[in-house]
Amino acid sequence: MDGENKNKKPNNHNREPEEKYENNSSRGCLFPIFLLLVCVIIFVGSFTIFASFMSDHSFNDLLSFIKGEEIVEDDTEETTENSNYIDSNSLLNKAENGLYNTERTGVISQFSLGTNTMKIYDIENKSSVTLSFNNQTELKDENGSEITITKIKEGDTVVFIYDEDRTLLSIQLNPDAEELTSLAVTVNTSRKLITIGNDVFKYNNNTVFRYNGSVLSPSDITEYDIITVKAIDYDAWGVIMEKCHGTLKFTNYENITDAAYSVDEGSFTEIPEDGLLYLTEGVHTITVQSPSISDYTGKFVIKANTEAEINLANVQFLRGSLIVDTAATEAALYVDGVQKSLRNPMFLDYGSHRLTLTKYGESVTKYITIDKEHTETSINF
């Protein structure tokens, strides 16, 4: 018993230190983990600060910082950007300087005597420039003779020189430009072509179209308008409508046989079915002829995009006498359905007429033409 007890005591002695060792071992494992976590936090923070520093500074700045030296801000990039900006402006200035005091070719797109300015599209440089002019500006026509400023208009092709202040030094109507004025001009808006006779000109978005100082649409031009085209090498730069068109409507002409008209002593043409004529604005002389009337002549003022009327109700119809000879003295005579006397001559308008003679239910019809002062005819059953 005593031996057994003696053997047990050492066991109890040995167990107590084991428990203490197990507790100390658990505490020892937590400390390295805490230390590792602190190191991670310090590393992440340091890396973030380093990354932020390097985003704004160079490697040389880092070395200077480590050595304790003062960091000098590097403005090379900003200087480069400013340098590029200055270089761009410099190039633009140089480009514009190349246009100063040199002879240019263009077309006048805007012109104002009130402000003494004009806007000119530079054909060679493909850009517009607004220039001022004064009493010192030289003004010349195509032949180099001096002219007044009123001789220059929008749509003119010109040769011009201006200085760095954009003051017009000289301007001359282009001596190399071609100028054609014509009626019956046709415009193909889909292909941007203008045809005058056998000549075809190309226009573009910078071509100046004008009518009475206002902007004109190419689609408004008809074959009845008078058009001036100002071109260089078949490129139309100025298109001016000199005279627009209006209409003249014939009324009360239906009873005039074979009526024909002429404009301004031109050739005679049959009056159209709708009775409408398209004429350029201005005063026109209209003459109407027919075998059945005296010649009618009148003057009419045609205004742009308006309609005038030519009323033929009061024309003088030509008349001739008709005598009908017949043995049927008791018969009734009808001329164009109206009963007439067989005993007296009748006066009829020039032209074709239907004669009908009736007696005792029988009738006979004959057509005659009155085209002279006296006519005689005979009708018998």
Side-chain angles (χ1 to χ4, degrees):
M1 293 285 295
D2 292 337
E4 290 178 0
N5 290 335
K6 285 180 180 179
N7 290 336
K8 288 180 180 178
K9 284 181 180 178
N11 290 338
N12 291 336
H13 256 317
N14 293 336
R15 189 177 295 116
E16 184 178 354
E18 280 182 4
E19 291 175 356
K20 290 180 180 179
Y21 177 79
E22 287 176 0
N23 293 334
N24 292 336
S25 176
S26 298
R27 291 191 188 99
C29 290
L30 291 174
F31 180 75
I33 293 174
F34 175 75
L35 183 60
L36 178 62
L37 182 60
V38 171
C39 292
V40 169
I41 293 173
I42 294 173
F43 175 78
V44 172
S46 300
F47 180 79
T48 302
I49 295 172
F50 176 78
S52 176
F53 178 87
M54 292 305 295
S55 66
D56 296 327
H57 300 83
S58 66
F59 182 73
N60 291 333
D61 292 338
L62 178 61
L63 294 178
S64 298
F65 177 76
I66 294 172
K67 294 177 182 179
E69 298 175 353
E70 182 181 358
I71 299 175
V72 180
E73 295 293 336
D74 185 5
D75 59 353
T76 303
E77 183 177 354
E78 182 179 358
T79 303
T80 303
E81 291 179 356
N82 291 336
S83 176
N84 290 337
Y85 177 75
I86 294 173
D87 288 345
S88 299
N89 285 341
S90 178
L91 289 175
L92 180 60
N93 290 334
K94 287 180 179 179
E96 288 193 342
N97 286 337
L99 304 179
Y100 299 148
N101 301 306
T102 60
E103 193 173 84
R104 315 299 302 167
T105 300
V107 56
I108 300 176
S109 56
Q110 292 180 14
F111 178 65
S112 173
L113 277 175
T115 60
N116 283 1
T117 59
M118 64 177 68
K119 186 176 182 180
I120 304 178
Y121 178 76
D122 189 327
I123 295 174
E124 302 166 51
N125 196 44
K126 296 182 179 179
S127 63
S128 294
V129 58
T130 300
L131 306 173
S132 62
F133 56 87
N134 51 45
N135 294 333
Q136 303 301 317
T137 303
E138 293 184 1
L139 310 172
K140 298 180 180 179
D141 63 11
E142 301 90 337
N143 301 316
S145 301
E146 291 185 2
I147 57 175
T148 62
I149 193 65
T150 57
K151 297 295 183 181
I152 297 177
K153 297 179 174 59
E154 293 180 358
D156 283 340
T157 58
V158 294
V159 177
F160 63 103
I161 301 174
Y162 64 97
D163 61 18
E164 60 274 11
D165 295 326
R166 301 204 176 196
T167 300
L168 198 59
L169 300 179
S170 68
I171 185 168
Q172 179 182 6
L173 298 178
N174 195 333
D176 297 325
E178 183 178 8
E179 184 172 318
L180 295 176
T181 301
S182 179
L183 182 66
V185 174
T186 59
V187 178
N188 185 328
T189 55
S190 61
R191 299 179 61 189
K192 293 188 176 181
L193 298 177
I194 301 175
T195 302
I196 300 180
N198 296 324
D199 295 319
V200 179
F201 300 91
K202 181 77 174 177
Y203 69 89
N204 56 67
N205 293 336
N206 294 299
T207 300
V208 178
F209 287 83
R210 293 290 185 272
Y211 170 62
N212 280 347
S214 301
V215 175
L216 172 70
S217 172
S219 60
D220 290 337
I221 298 175
T222 73
E223 59 181 311
Y224 309 105
D225 304 315
I226 296 179
I227 301 295
T228 294
V229 174
K230 302 176 182 183
I232 301 174
D233 296 331
Y234 290 96
D235 287 323
W237 292 105
V239 179
I240 311 300
M241 181 182 286
E242 306 291 353
K243 289 187 177 181
C244 188
H245 72 279
T247 56
L248 179 64
K249 184 175 179 62
F250 287 96
T251 58
N252 297 307
Y253 64 94
E254 295 83 358
N255 296 327
I256 302 175
T257 305
D258 299 327
Y261 74 93
S262 73
V263 179
D264 300 328
E265 300 182 356
S267 59
F268 280 88
T269 305
E270 184 179 354
I271 294 177
E273 291 184 3
D274 60 4
L276 287 176
L277 295 184
Y278 296 91
L279 302 170
T280 57
E281 59 181 318
V283 180
H284 295 278
T285 300
I286 307 297
T287 301
V288 179
Q289 287 185 345
S290 166
S292 61
I293 65 171
S294 298
D295 287 355
Y296 168 87
T297 299
K299 290 184 179 296
F300 298 86
V301 178
I302 304 300
K303 296 181 180 180
N305 300 313
T306 60
E307 182 178 282
E309 180 185 15
I310 174 170
N311 189 346
L312 299 179
N314 297 320
V315 295
Q316 182 65 47
F317 281 86
L318 297 175
R319 298 172 68 83
S321 63
L322 173 65
I323 296 177
V324 178
D325 182 21
T326 180
T329 56
E330 297 181 359
L333 175 65
Y334 294 86
V335 178
D336 299 326
V338 179
Q339 187 172 359
K340 300 289 183 178
S341 172
L342 280 172
R343 296 181 177 82
N344 301 314
M346 62 195 78
F347 293 90
L348 302 174
D349 294 336
Y350 275 30
S352 179
H353 298 276
R354 185 182 74 254
L355 307 181
T356 301
L357 195 64
T358 62
K359 184 178 181 180
Y360 305 129
E362 296 182 6
S363 64
V364 60
T365 299
K366 181 178 182 179
Y367 290 89
I368 64 169
T369 298
I370 304 298
D371 56 6
K372 54 186 178 180
E373 188 176 356
H374 301 290
T375 301
E376 292 186 13
T377 187
S378 61
I379 303 178
N380 290 299
F381 287 97

